[in-house]
Amino acid sequence: MAPPGTKADVPPKRSVSVDELLSDVVARAQAGDLEAQRLVIDASYSFVSRMLLRFAGPRADLEDLQQTAIMKLIQALPGYDGRAKLKSWIASICINVVKQYYRSRRRTRMDPVGTTSELEMTLAHGGDLDAQVEARRDLRRMLAALEQLSTNHR
């Protein structure tokens, strides 16, 4: 047996894996620990940014998408059960944010045509169905032309 105070007397240090540390931080964040939530945000922000850039491409509103994804991540964190890797789970949140972004853009783009009721269009054109159809075509062409312009020229 080794004399006291030597290496043989000291129990070996247990190494803690990154996954174990991350698991502890996530558990604390799920319990509402704001510091742990901040650590999760800091640790995942660059990954979220890369994922959004990959799926949405470079765009002026990328920062808004990042903020939305981080907000969704924190809101959904209590439901994270650890069955999937954390990165995979965060990636799915990013994908859903991008899907929602494109859905809302599609609705916004279509809204100007859809907001005018059939009755309003008919009354605006004196009941002339041909004029109504032509007005809708004109509006669609104008919206398509606007979509082709850069945001600086709109």
Side-chain angles (χ1 to χ4, degrees):
M1 187 150 167
T6 63
K7 271 192 164 187
D9 190 37
V10 178
K13 288 184 180 179
R14 182 181 169 285
S15 65
V16 179
S17 73
V18 171
D19 289 335
E20 288 175 314
L21 286 173
L22 190 57
S23 176
D24 177 57
V25 170
V26 168
R28 289 186 6 239
Q30 287 176 313
D33 181 337
L34 294 179
E35 185 58 35
Q37 289 177 357
R38 191 176 353 268
L39 288 170
V40 169
I41 291 169
D42 291 345
S44 59
Y45 196 82
S46 65
F47 177 71
V48 166
S49 299
R50 286 192 312 273
M51 291 300 294
L52 293 172
L53 186 61
R54 178 177 172 194
F55 292 115
R59 41 187 352 97
D61 49 3
L62 190 61
E63 191 172 313
D64 291 340
L65 290 174
Q66 290 167 331
Q67 290 173 358
T68 300
I70 292 295
M71 182 186 69
K72 298 276 187 190
L73 183 146
I74 293 301
Q75 288 173 341
L77 198 55
Y80 174 67
D81 59 10
R83 285 184 293 156
K85 286 187 174 184
L86 187 62
K87 273 190 168 183
S88 299
W89 184 74
I90 293 171
S92 70
I93 290 173
C94 292
I95 290 168
N96 287 333
V97 165
V98 171
K99 282 181 183 178
Q100 184 59 40
Y101 169 78
Y102 282 116
R103 277 189 210 119
S104 69
R105 278 191 48 112
R106 191 171 42 233
R107 276 193 305 269
T108 303
R109 230 182 17 233
M110 291 172 62
D111 263 353
V113 176
T115 55
T116 306
S117 73
E118 295 297 319
L119 179 59
E120 289 172 323
M121 284 295 275
T122 304
L123 292 175
H125 296 286
D128 184 1
L129 187 57
D130 290 332
Q132 178 184 348
V133 169
E134 191 58 36
R136 283 197 182 268
R137 281 189 193 136
D138 290 344
L139 186 55
R140 284 193 178 102
R141 276 187 239 133
M142 182 188 69
L143 290 172
L146 283 173
E147 282 296 316
Q148 299 299 316
L149 293 174
S150 70
T151 52
N152 294 337
H153 290 98
R154 286 186 196 170

